[in-house]
């Protein structure tokens, strides 16, 4: 396939720029810290988290189902504070993407699965507006990866054809979904590899 002039970079957030907002490791840590039955919490989480990620319920409603379904010896705000604290910047990549975007003027849009409260916190806390021109977040668009519709919506908003887009994700399933739509897609494995791909794209676009 011949790629036309690159217009848009689509980036995932969790696993590339930041840690995952509420992944299984964080839930295991929560179980230890708050004295929870991890298996019970995880089963309830898996039952309802997708509903939270597409914005159909709030974080409090998620917690009502998964954590506060019976009396606890801790308060809701302490648990939520713990959840927010699980979001951390990964080394190098976010800082580099912000500088790279500023220097070369590419349009960059996130396509990410995240519940609204966690998503809003992460955007503000880590100044993600410096890296992205727009956010196609599952909680706002009522779709989540790997639904092909979320990439199609992103391309429609960007007014770009598949061959004008490049997508980065740490999960190979999502990379393959993007590829099936005709988008050139790369699995992020480490900072140096993705840095080289970005610089190659910049050079390619200048030809």
């Amino acid at each position: 396939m011949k790629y036309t002039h690159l217009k848009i970079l689509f980036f995932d957030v969790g696993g590339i720029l930041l840690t995952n907002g509420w992944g299984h490791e964080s839930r295991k840590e929560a179980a230890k810290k708050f004295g929870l039955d991890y298996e019970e919490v995880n089963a309830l989480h898996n039952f309802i988290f997708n509903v939270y990620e597409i914005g159909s319920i709030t974080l409090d409603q998620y917690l009502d189902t998964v954590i506060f379904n019976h009396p606890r010896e801790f308060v809701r705000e302490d648990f939520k504070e713990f959840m927010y604290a699980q979001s951390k910047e990964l080394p190098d990549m976010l800082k580099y993407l912000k500088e790279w975007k500023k220097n070369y003027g590419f349009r960059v849009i996130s396509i990410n699965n995240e519940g609204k409260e966690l998503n809003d916190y992460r955007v503000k806390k880590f100044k993600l507006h410096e890296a992205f021109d727009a956010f196609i977040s599952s909680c706002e668009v009522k779709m989540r990866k790997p639904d092909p519709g979320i990439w199609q919506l992103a391309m429609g908003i960007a007014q770009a054809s598949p061959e004008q887009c490049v997508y980065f994700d740490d999960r190979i399933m999502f990379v393959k979904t993007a590829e099936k739509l005709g988008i050139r897609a790369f699995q992020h494995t480490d900072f140096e590899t993705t840095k080289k791909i970005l610089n190659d794209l910049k050079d390619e676009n200048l030809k």
Side-chain angles (χ1 to χ4, degrees):
M1 181 184 292
K2 187 178 187 309
Y3 292 95
T4 60
H5 193 68
L6 182 63
K7 288 182 76 172
I8 298 290
L9 266 64
F10 294 131
F11 256 86
D12 184 33
V13 176
I16 302 183
L17 308 177
L18 307 177
T19 56
N20 289 318
W22 187 232
H24 67 93
E25 291 177 356
S26 297
R27 299 195 301 279
K28 282 184 177 177
E29 283 299 313
K32 286 181 192 173
K33 179 177 174 62
F34 293 97
L36 303 170
D37 179 338
Y38 173 72
E39 296 303 327
E40 177 192 352
V41 166
N42 205 45
L44 292 169
H45 166 90
N46 290 335
F47 180 71
I48 201 168
F49 195 63
N50 292 358
V51 182
Y52 173 55
E53 281 196 327
I54 60 168
S56 293
I57 60 172
T58 65
L59 179 58
D60 280 322
Q61 289 171 314
Y62 164 82
L63 291 174
D64 286 342
T65 298
V66 178
I67 305 298
F68 296 99
N69 48 12
H70 48 77
R72 299 294 188 184
E73 294 180 355
F74 51 89
V75 298
R76 183 180 298 259
E77 288 310 310
D78 287 347
F79 195 87
K80 286 165 78 169
E81 187 177 317
F82 176 87
M83 289 184 77
Y84 290 131
Q86 300 312 297
S87 291
K88 297 179 174 68
E89 183 176 339
L90 294 175
D92 303 317
M93 194 69 239
L94 180 57
K95 181 180 178 184
Y96 184 79
L97 181 61
K98 288 177 179 180
E99 287 299 314
W100 187 87
K101 180 185 183 331
K102 187 165 67 175
N103 290 337
Y104 302 114
F106 280 78
R107 283 191 290 160
V108 186
I109 295 175
S110 81
I111 302 179
N112 67 307
N113 290 347
E114 199 71 80
K116 181 165 177 57
E117 292 87 347
L118 289 172
N119 193 61
D120 290 354
Y121 170 82
R122 285 153 72 86
V123 170
K124 184 176 180 181
K125 168 75 175 175
F126 299 100
K127 300 180 180 176
L128 297 186
H129 282 106
E130 295 176 9
F132 296 111
D133 296 295
F135 299 87
I136 311 300
S137 302
S138 61
C139 58
E140 301 292 356
V141 301
K142 312 300 182 187
M143 288 183 284
R144 64 190 298 278
K145 299 179 292 187
D147 186 337
I150 199 167
W151 284 276
Q152 291 164 337
L153 177 66
M155 288 188 286
I157 288 171
Q159 286 298 292
S161 58
E163 61 272 13
Q164 293 172 313
C165 302
V166 174
Y167 178 64
F168 292 86
D169 203 300
D170 62 312
R171 299 190 184 189
I172 192 65
M173 180 192 1
F174 298 158
V175 170
K176 290 185 178 299
T177 304
E179 286 178 336
K180 287 176 185 174
L181 295 171
I183 299 169
R184 188 166 24 160
F186 297 95
Q187 184 182 17
H188 170 83
T189 55
D190 59 80
F191 168 64
E192 290 298 335
T193 303
T194 298
K195 176 182 173 181
K196 182 179 186 308
I197 295 169
L198 286 172
N199 284 323
D200 288 347
L201 290 170
K202 175 256 298 179
D203 293 341
E204 174 187 310
N205 220 44
L206 293 173
K207 289 178 183 177

